[in-house]
Amino acid sequence: MKFLVRAAAMTTIVSTLVLAQNASQPAKDASKQAVTIPEADAAKGKPYYTITNKDRQVYFESNAPLENIKGQSNQVVGYAVLSKETGGSIVAGEWRLPVKSMKTGIDLRDEHLASSDWLDASKHPDVVFKIVETKDVKETKKTEAFTTYSATLVGTLSLHGVSKSISIPGSTITVLKESAATAKVAKGEIISVRSKFSVTLKDYGISHPVIGEKVAKDVSLDVSLFLSSVPQ
Amino acid sequence: MQARTRNFILIGGGVVIVGALVAFLATGMYPYTRFKSESIANANAETDLTNLLAESGADQAPPPAAVDNVNALGFLPSGPGAASLSVVTLAVPAMMAMAGAWFWERRGRRSEPRAASK
C-alpha cells in the first residue's frame, strides 16, 4: 500500500513538473503598428491614441453547452476622435484587434481560432471596429478630475471579411484630465471607453459544425480601452 | 506471463490512473490540459490604467474578466507534445495494459489444468 501511495505521488509530481516546464512562449507583440489618423477624422475633434500592451482591453466568452471558452487580448491598436463641442462624444475612430493576439490559454485552440475554419487571420488579420458616431450621450458624473458619460457607440464591425453596422448602447466614456496621477501611468489626457456587446458568428460568415455545441452561436465581448491624447 | 510482470503492469497501471486523477483534481479539473502563457500573465499583471480609473472614483464597471493562466492536467489533451498529457491519454493506455495483463493471467490459469491432465 505504501508503495502504491508513493508511486501515485511520483506520477502526480512528474505530471506537474512536465506541465510547469511547458509554459507556452510569449506571443509576438502585435501592437507595434503606427497609428495614423486620417486627416478627415483628425479634423473632426481632438484625437486620442490607444494605450496598448498594458491592461486587458478585450475579453470574449463563448458559452456553449459542451464547452466554455474564454479569451483576452491587450493588443488593440487605434484611435478615437472626441468632439470639441459635445463632451464625451466620439465622432470618429478605429480600433484594430489582431486575431493572433487573442489568447484563450490553450495554444492549439488559439491556432484554430486564427485558422481559415474560424477567423481566417491570414486573409483578415484584424477585427476592426470603425466608429461613425456616438448617440444618446449623457453626462453621468463629473468631478474636477474626470467626467463620465453614458452613450451608444455606432459604427461598423468588420470580422472575417464581413462588415456590419452595429450599435452598442450602454457604453461608458470617461475623460480623465491630465494630472499628476495620470502622468504616472501615461502622458496626456486619458479617456476610457467601456462597452459590452455580443457577436453572432453566422452574421459574419463563420459557420462550423461545432457551433451550437462546443462554440456558442453568440460570442460576448467586453471591451475596455484606454486612449491618450499623446501617442505612447 | 510471469506473475512478477503481471503485478508490475497492474500496480503500475493503477498508479498512473490514480496519479493522473490526483493531478487533474489538484490542478483545477480543467476539461483540457493547459500551460501558463507569458502574454496572458503580462496582460493580467498590468493594472495601472484600471487602478487609475478606480482611484479617481469614476463610474465604471469592474475590469474585464481574466483568462485563467495556470498549468493544469486536463481531462482531455489540448495538442501535441506535452499538451497531449491528460487524464484520458494517461489512463486509457494504463487501463488497456491492465486489462491485457488480466486476460493473460486468466488464459494462463485455464491452460494450466489441461497441461496438468496431459
Side-chain angles (χ1 to χ4, degrees):
Chain A
M1 192 64 194
K2 274 185 182 174
F3 169 74
L4 274 177
V5 173
R6 280 181 193 163
M10 279 299 291
T11 309
T12 308
I13 290 166
V14 169
S15 306
T16 310
L17 283 174
V18 170
L19 291 169
Q21 284 176 350
N22 281 280
S24 61
Q25 295 298 310
K28 284 183 182 175
D29 188 354
S31 66
K32 303 294 181 197
Q33 302 174 27
V35 178
T36 312
I37 304 178
E39 279 182 26
D41 281 354
K44 291 177 183 173
K46 186 176 181 183
Y48 292 81
Y49 305 82
T50 51
I51 303 173
T52 305
N53 220 5
K54 300 269 278 179
D55 298 36
R56 288 185 301 280
Q57 294 170 305
V58 176
Y59 172 81
F60 59 94
E61 190 165 343
S62 153
N63 272 315
L66 296 180
E67 201 173 342
N68 186 9
I69 299 169
K70 298 167 183 174
Q72 67 181 49
S73 172
N74 68 342
Q75 305 283 307
V76 176
V77 177
Y79 66 91
V81 179
L82 218 59
S83 167
K84 284 177 180 169
E85 289 83 36
T86 314
S89 178
I90 298 174
V91 289
E94 187 177 288
W95 301 325
R96 290 181 169 272
L97 164 66
V99 170
K100 288 185 176 174
S101 75
M102 296 161 78
K103 299 294 172 194
T104 64
I106 294 177
D107 288 348
L108 189 64
R109 186 192 276 157
D110 298 342
E111 284 174 28
H112 288 165
L113 186 64
S115 74
S116 56
D117 285 342
W118 295 97
L119 300 183
D120 202 357
S122 59
K123 285 185 187 166
H124 315 290
D126 300 327
V127 177
V128 184
F129 182 50
K130 201 169 174 58
I131 303 170
V132 179
E133 61 173 327
T134 316
K135 286 180 179 172
D136 311 323
V137 182
K138 286 176 192 160
E139 189 180 296
T140 56
K141 195 171 182 181
K142 187 172 185 176
T143 67
E144 277 187 16
F146 68 88
T147 311
T148 301
Y149 306 87
S150 69
T152 299
L153 298 181
V154 181
T156 308
L157 183 69
S158 300
L159 173 68
H160 191 241
V162 177
S163 298
K164 290 186 86 73
S165 295
I166 63 164
S167 286
I168 311 172
S171 299
T172 309
I173 299 163
T174 301
V175 182
L176 288 158
K177 286 179 187 165
E178 191 172 358
S179 66
T182 60
K184 287 177 190 170
V185 181
K187 292 174 189 168
E189 192 174 78
I190 295 172
I191 64 168
S192 152
V193 182
R194 190 69 195 277
S195 296
K196 290 182 182 183
F197 61 103
S198 68
V199 166
T200 304
L201 297 178
K202 194 179 166 187
D203 292 349
Y204 292 88
I206 300 167
S207 57
H208 197 281
V210 301
I211 292 177
E213 294 169 5
K214 294 177 84 177
V215 176
K217 291 175 184 171
D218 302 313
V219 176
S220 62
L221 286 103
D222 188 351
V223 179
S224 175
L225 297 180
F226 288 89
L227 302 97
S228 168
S229 56
V230 178
Q232 303 298 308
Chain B
M1 181 185 282
Q2 285 184 354
R4 196 173 167 186
T5 311
R6 183 203 62 210
N7 288 343
F8 177 78
I9 292 171
L10 290 174
I11 292 170
V15 163
V16 168
I17 293 167
V18 171
L21 284 171
V22 168
F24 173 67
L25 293 170
T27 55
M29 294 191 288
Y30 285 90
Y32 293 98
T33 295
R34 54 198 298 144
F35 300 107
K36 277 187 181 174
S37 152
E38 204 172 314
S39 59
I40 292 176
N42 289 343
N44 290 350
E46 287 282 354
T47 56
D48 287 353
L49 291 160
T50 309
N51 291 343
L52 172 70
L53 204 63
E55 284 162 14
S56 72
D59 282 339
Q60 190 87 20
V67 171
D68 294 340
N69 196 32
V70 292
N71 292 328
L73 185 77
F75 187 73
L76 294 167
S78 65
S84 66
L85 277 178
S86 71
V87 173
V88 166
T89 51
L90 289 170
V92 169
M95 285 164 78
M96 286 170 73
M98 289 167 78
W102 184 72
F103 277 116
W104 269 103
E105 187 199 12
R106 278 179 65 90
R107 197 177 154 187
R109 274 188 199 165
R110 280 182 188 169
S111 60
E112 272 171 20
R114 281 182 210 156
S117 65
K118 283 177 187 175

